[in-house]
Amino acid sequence: MTGPATPREPWSLRELHRDLRDGRTTPADALARSRAAVSDTEPEVRAWVAHAPESEPRDTGPLGGVPLGVKDIIDVAGFPTKCGTSLREDAAPANRDAAIVTSWRRAGAIPVGKTVTTEFAYFSPGPTRNPRDPGRTPGGSSSGSAAAVASGHVPLALGTQTAGSVTRPASFCGVASLVMTHDRIAMDGTAGLSPSLDSHGVYAAGVTDLALAWSAFTGEVDAGATAPRPPRLLLWTAKPLGVVEDGMREAIDGTARRLAEAGAVVDAFPEEDLVAEAVAAQKVVMAYEAARERAAELAVASCISEQLATLLRSGDAMPDTEYDAARDRLAEIGAALTRLSESYDAIVGPAAPGPAPMGLSATGDPVLSRPWQALGLPVVTVPGAADAAGLPLGVQLVGRARDEQSLLAAGCWAERAVSGQV
Amino acid sequence: MTGPATPREPWSLRELHRDLRDGRTTPADALARSRAAVSDTEPEVRAWVAHAPESEPRDTGPLGGVPLGVKDIIDVAGFPTKCGTSLREDAAPANRDAAIVTSWRRAGAIPVGKTVTTEFAYFSPGPTRNPRDPGRTPGGSSSGSAAAVASGHVPLALGTQTAGSVTRPASFCGVASLVMTHDRIAMDGTAGLSPSLDSHGVYAAGVTDLALAWSAFTGEVDAGATAPRPPRLLLWTAKPLGVVEDGMREAIDGTARRLAEAGAVVDAFPEEDLVAEAVAAQKVVMAYEAARERAAELAVASCISEQLATLLRSGDAMPDTEYDAARDRLAEIGAALTRLSESYDAIVGPAAPGPAPMGLSATGDPVLSRPWQALGLPVVTVPGAADAAGLPLGVQLVGRARDEQSLLAAGCWAERAVSGQV
């Protein structure tokens, strides 16, 4: 029997899955636990736009009975999709699931509600607080999903990333995340910002939980249940970007040391400047595409935040040639990175500049995710590190396109190594 | 005043646009003409799932008052999205427009209904007949949109392409089409088959009409209203694919001759075998991704066609490594083609193996579109050629990624050259 909700502790998908499979708990119990956890800490965390678990959960598929949170730019039948904007205040309930929700439902997960997103998944924050320190931002734009998983409201929650919208909230809230390869899953039913950048993502308590979820999602073997070989890693410091704080630098150095001691190959990433170039190109692409994607919203600029309006105006004024040059350059950088990381399993580096910043009026800096997102690569965030004050710090592993499986295996190994289990 | 509907004649967007702008016609008149044209030939053509123009059309935006047909895998608020499958027979009306519809509506176009699609945009046909010969297929999967434009029901209609779903119906029905660069416009609200291949497309009577539409859609200058320089073209024969019929080969040879006489550079495409390789890779990618995208449908295989079930089963059984190798190879082929076509405006070649095949039980072969779709490139189909029996034959121009504007300029020039206007 799974115990009662433990506030502020992430809910292990792996344990829930085992308990459901062994009959020690039921889908109805799991939903009851989700309800209890939400009612316990939601007034403080404010992760949800709507939390309404169905009364008779299905119990089919490998994740049968697992409560799932869904970022509120993704359609779930029966819930309106409000996208964190007053423009969608009166949206009618969606009458169809988004493609990504169909896939997770097929794996057995049960959408229990919609989680807070920043306005159209850009910067303007919703009411969500960081469960690890309610005076701090949970990050964005997938604020509610990260906070809901960090609070143990659900063991699994969906996000999306255009710049750093999945990885940074994972780092700030101390949970694990996977950003899927670009174009891995259709965007039907998911409101995007930038068609060539938007990707789907998912949160869980740890990387081994994500590996289990991925196994259920794809039918591949569970990378968290095997003992993979120590990975070959490239250590990316992000130094030329000039944003990484001391605490994070120490955490990355310490992590790299522990991984190497545990048997991983950790070589220096040789092309830091190339990554800085990709950051610049990502900003160009995002502004240009968002201006077209959200042209209708720019036309009613008084109804959107000044931050979003500024992005859309800058993209609207951008010459096609600037956008095109950025896309061309990203293709070259992608090809170069593919070549230089060919014999490595992942690039390892800081998931965010530092711990979650104080205050709720901003969601932190996505800069350390921009380059990988611009290249469409999958990314796993490994939780477990912390600064001197005990605030969580995430480590990101960047994988090869379309190889989430190997990336998750490397992530599971790294997670165990960091916690002294290998 | 625009005259009454002329059955079986495409409706010139450029003329309608001029008449609307000059006050010679009104949006209400345009919708009335659409209604009349549909009531005249729809019993024979069967292009529409639903045709229900609104009673008080808006008249804002550069295309204010232009009736638009929308393929029935794309959401239009107020209409159910049935995807050509009995699985969606009882679908509720969509309560939101797809992203692509929002963009066209913003340009002023007025969705007047939903056009027939093959089952989930794969091969199993709907009831649509080819307006140029009702005993022949209109092609697929965007069958209704191509047929509606060829019949003069609307001057503009939307399609999507994963293999050859826009280009081949344009060729078979004798209309112009544009397939946009992959990831140009978000897929929110568009039911796809293959996330890394699906693209949006649009039909009109001629390429100059498409250029006007593109100008309204993007705000760029109207490539059809200027006199562009003669383009530099690479002539792709598709010989190694062994599918091009004699009539089409003669049409392409004749077109190439006329283009060269009119001043275009027409050089031989040097990498025919590379294109054949891209065809094979496209098939791998499509099967693998469709199996994941339509897993829910495969689970109820008795409710889908044997053709779709066969595709999904083959993709389901495919090893990840095969898919990954195909994607990697396509990236290499794309880079090689970019290099070799750097100093050209477009690749020109046959849009389909020959005229529309007899019969309504199959939609023809998309093979001549597969390679370009696999590379995510924009494609314009130029109408105007015909076989000895007078059946339409399309010529396709393949452009550079993200440069629909130059491609349309080349297409307008080619269209004029083919009809003796330059």
Side-chain angles (χ1 to χ4, degrees):
Chain A
M1 173 77 194
T2 301
T6 314
R8 282 159 236 217
E9 275 281 308
W11 183 356
S12 162
L13 176 66
R14 203 166 273 281
E15 283 175 26
L16 172 62
H17 179 256
R18 189 198 55 213
D19 290 349
L20 283 164
R21 197 190 49 201
D22 297 352
R24 279 197 294 268
T25 194
T26 66
D29 289 342
L31 295 196
R33 174 168 163 175
S34 176
R35 229 179 266 114
V38 168
S39 99
D40 193 25
T41 55
E42 174 63 5
E44 183 171 286
V45 175
R46 303 188 66 184
W48 298 87
V49 177
H51 185 269
E54 55 196 52
S55 48
E56 292 184 36
R58 286 182 332 120
D59 183 16
T60 58
L63 297 180
V66 170
L68 176 74
V70 180
K71 183 180 185 179
D72 197 25
I73 63 166
I74 301 172
D75 289 345
V76 176
F79 293 89
T81 309
K82 295 190 175 176
C83 298
T85 167
S86 60
L87 290 169
R88 295 269 186 104
E89 195 50 62
D90 301 319
N95 54 36
R96 208 172 65 228
D97 285 333
I100 185 77
V101 171
T102 300
S103 296
W104 282 108
R105 229 193 256 274
R106 215 179 115 66
I110 299 172
V112 294
K114 306 299 292 283
T115 61
V116 170
T117 174
T118 61
E119 176 198 33
F120 286 116
Y122 194 55
F123 283 125
S124 185
T128 310
R129 298 189 179 113
N130 192 315
R132 302 291 291 262
D133 178 346
R136 294 175 188 265
T137 177
S141 64
S142 310
S143 319
S145 282
V149 167
S151 303
H153 293 173
V154 280
L156 207 59
L158 307 187
T160 61
Q161 178 153 301
T162 310
S165 280
V166 168
T167 299
R168 148 172 130 266
S171 182
F172 290 173
C173 295
V175 295
S177 68
L178 166 68
V179 177
M180 299 178 198
T181 307
H182 178 67
D183 273 344
R184 185 60 136 159
I185 305 288
M187 296 295 285
D188 184 15
T190 300
L193 252 190
S194 181
S196 81
L197 297 172
D198 298 332
S199 296
H200 287 288
V202 56
Y203 293 99
V207 184
T208 58
D209 301 293
L210 289 176
L212 171 65
W214 187 251
S215 165
F217 189 73
T218 61
E220 296 182 65
V221 298
D222 178 356
T226 58
R229 62 174 171 75
R232 298 175 56 85
L233 304 169
L234 282 169
L235 178 61
W236 170 61
T237 67
K239 270 198 191 107
L241 298 176
V243 298
V244 179
E245 299 167 16
D246 288 347
M248 177 59 90
R249 185 166 318 286
E250 286 158 23
I252 294 294
D253 289 348
T255 298
R257 216 163 34 238
R258 273 195 297 281
L259 295 176
E261 283 163 10
V265 172
V266 184
D267 292 339
F269 179 80
E271 290 283 4
E272 298 266 355
D273 289 340
L274 218 50
V275 177
E277 251 195 279
V279 169
Q282 192 276 348
K283 290 180 184 174
V284 167
V285 171
M286 184 167 173
Y288 181 97
E289 294 187 358
R292 282 142 190 87
E293 184 67 13
R294 295 280 155 229
E297 285 76 18
L298 181 55
V300 289
S302 62
C303 302
I304 62 176
S305 70
E306 192 47 40
Q307 273 173 307
L308 182 57
T310 300
L311 173 78
L312 301 184
R313 282 192 202 103
S314 79
D316 199 42
M318 186 179 288
D320 295 344
T321 47
E322 186 175 350
Y323 167 68
D324 211 51
R327 289 287 302 272
D328 284 346
R329 187 64 188 129
L330 284 171
E332 292 165 3
I333 294 171
L337 279 187
T338 299
R339 278 192 302 275
L340 79 84
S341 57
E342 236 163 22
S343 56
Y344 292 88
D345 295 295
I347 298 165
V348 57
M358 283 297 292
L360 299 177
S361 61
T363 58
D365 190 344
V367 61
L368 301 182
S369 290
R370 290 188 188 270
W372 319 115
Q373 199 58 28
L375 302 173
L377 300 173
V379 174
V380 158
T381 308
V382 182
D387 71 0
L391 289 167
L393 296 171
V395 174
Q396 65 177 327
L397 298 186
V398 182
R400 288 182 298 267
R402 302 179 298 282
D403 196 0
E404 289 86 355
Q405 179 73 4
S406 298
L407 176 63
L408 284 163
C412 287
W413 190 93
E415 186 174 66
R416 286 184 193 125
V418 166
S419 64
Q421 292 172 57
V422 288
Chain B
M1 174 75 195
T2 300
T6 312
R8 286 161 233 212
E9 275 281 306
W11 183 357
S12 163
L13 176 66
R14 202 165 275 280
E15 282 175 25
L16 172 63
H17 179 257
R18 189 198 55 211
D19 290 350
L20 284 163
R21 196 190 50 202
D22 296 352
R24 280 197 294 267
T25 195
T26 66
D29 289 342
L31 295 196
R33 173 167 163 175
S34 177
R35 229 179 265 113
V38 168
S39 97
D40 193 25
T41 56
E42 174 63 4
E44 182 172 286
V45 175
R46 304 188 66 183
W48 298 86
V49 177
H51 185 268
E54 57 195 50
S55 49
E56 293 184 35
R58 287 183 332 123
D59 182 17
T60 58
L63 296 179
V66 170
L68 176 74
V70 180
K71 183 180 184 179
D72 198 27
I73 63 167
I74 302 172
D75 289 345
V76 175
F79 293 90
T81 309
K82 295 189 175 176
C83 297
T85 168
S86 60
L87 290 168
R88 296 270 186 104
E89 195 52 61
D90 302 318
N95 55 34
R96 206 171 69 228
D97 287 331
I100 186 76
V101 172
T102 300
S103 296
W104 281 108
R105 230 193 254 274
R106 217 181 113 64
I110 300 172
V112 293
K114 306 299 290 288
T115 61
V116 170
T117 176
T118 60
E119 177 198 33
F120 286 116
Y122 194 53
F123 282 123
S124 185
T128 310
R129 298 189 178 115
N130 192 315
R132 301 291 292 263
D133 178 347
R136 293 174 189 267
T137 177
S141 65
S142 309
S143 319
S145 282
V149 167
S151 304
H153 293 172
V154 282
L156 208 60
L158 307 186
T160 60
Q161 178 154 301
T162 309
S165 281
V166 167
T167 300
R168 148 170 128 267
S171 183
F172 290 173
C173 295
V175 296
S177 68
L178 166 69
V179 178
M180 300 178 198
T181 308
H182 179 68
D183 273 345
R184 184 61 136 157
I185 305 288
M187 297 295 286
D188 184 16
T190 300
L193 252 190
S194 181
S196 82
L197 297 173
D198 299 331
S199 297
H200 287 289
V202 56
Y203 292 100
V207 183
T208 58
D209 301 292
L210 289 175
L212 171 66
W214 187 251
S215 164
F217 189 76
T218 62
E220 296 184 65
V221 297
D222 178 356
T226 58
R229 62 173 171 75
R232 297 176 57 85
L233 304 170
L234 281 169
L235 178 62
W236 171 59
T237 67
K239 268 197 193 107
L241 298 176
V243 298
V244 179
E245 299 167 18
D246 288 347
M248 177 59 92
R249 186 167 315 287
E250 286 157 24
I252 294 295
D253 289 347
T255 299
R257 218 165 31 237
R258 273 194 296 281
L259 296 176
E261 283 163 8
V265 172
V266 184
D267 292 340
F269 180 80
E271 290 283 6
E272 298 266 353
D273 289 341
L274 219 51
V275 176
E277 251 197 278
V279 169
Q282 192 276 349
K283 290 181 185 173
V284 167
V285 171
M286 184 167 173
Y288 181 95
E289 294 187 358
R292 282 142 190 87
E293 184 67 13
R294 296 277 154 233
E297 285 75 18
L298 181 55
V300 289
S302 62
C303 302
I304 62 175
S305 70
E306 193 47 41
Q307 274 174 306
L308 181 57
T310 301
L311 174 80
L312 302 183
R313 281 193 203 105
S314 79
D316 200 42
M318 186 179 287
D320 295 345
T321 47
E322 186 176 351
Y323 168 69
D324 213 50
R327 289 287 303 270
D328 285 346
R329 186 64 188 131
L330 284 172
E332 291 166 4
I333 294 172
L337 279 188
T338 299
R339 278 192 303 276
L340 77 86
S341 58
E342 236 164 23
S343 57
Y344 293 88
D345 295 295
I347 297 166
V348 57
M358 283 297 293
L360 299 177
S361 62
T363 59
D365 190 344
V367 62
L368 300 182
S369 290
R370 288 187 189 270
W372 319 115
Q373 200 56 29
L375 303 172
L377 300 174
V379 174
V380 159
T381 308
V382 182
D387 70 1
L391 288 167
L393 296 171
V395 174
Q396 65 176 329
L397 298 186
V398 182
R400 289 183 296 267
R402 302 179 300 281
D403 196 0
E404 290 86 354
Q405 178 73 5
S406 299
L407 175 63
L408 285 164
C412 287
W413 190 92
E415 185 173 65
R416 287 185 192 126
V418 166
S419 62
Q421 291 172 56
V422 289

